[in-house]
Amino acid sequence: MAAVSAAEAGATAGMLMADAPSEPGAVLRVGRDASLCRLSTPDDWLFVSRVHLEFQCAQDGSWQLTWLRGSLPEPSSEVRLAVGEYAQPVAYGGTVGLPRGGSGEVVIQDRAAPRSVNVGFYHEV
């Protein structure tokens, strides 16, 4: 995961790494609350919820991504999933499947400032 602001563009800023086994029920969360999330952003980045994203391994070993709903009715960010040249928005409160044996990136983009959180993923088969 990389957390990047406009002032840090072009630099490697806030890089963190985490992994989780592809075992049913495995979960990896992204958000501001380091006590609940394996990948956490700066506390003052309020466009990211305390627990913003959840990667979860299903019974068949596939992974899915959920953008968890926060305390606000409208989010302060946008989330998109990019796999290769294909990119799609993720709905607020929505869940999307991740490609089995693939890689990509999930981007949390602040709606009010030029900063983002980029979470790369790779799924081994």
Side-chain angles (χ1 to χ4, degrees), residues 11-114:
T12 303
M15 293 289 289
L16 301 171
M17 292 188 70
D19 66 347
S22 289
E23 298 172 354
V27 174
L28 192 146
R29 293 182 184 93
V30 178
R32 288 191 338 264
D33 189 335
S35 69
L36 299 172
C37 301
R38 297 256 316 271
L39 296 171
S40 58
T41 63
D43 289 337
D44 62 343
W45 283 30
L46 300 180
F47 71 99
V48 177
S49 300
R50 287 183 53 234
V51 181
H52 201 89
L53 300 176
E54 182 175 86
F55 292 85
Q56 185 171 30
C57 187
Q59 290 298 318
D60 65 359
S62 64
W63 284 83
Q64 63 185 24
L65 167 72
T66 301
W67 180 5
L68 302 169
R69 292 187 70 87
S71 59
L72 301 174
E74 290 295 319
S76 301
S77 62
E78 296 175 356
V79 175
R80 68 183 177 278
L81 170 65
V83 177
E85 294 183 21
Y86 177 74
Q88 74 179 65
V90 178
Y92 187 44
T95 299
V96 295
L98 301 178
R100 186 180 276 271
S103 64
E105 182 176 51
V106 180
V107 179
I108 305 169
Q109 181 69 52
D110 188 347
R111 287 185 169 172

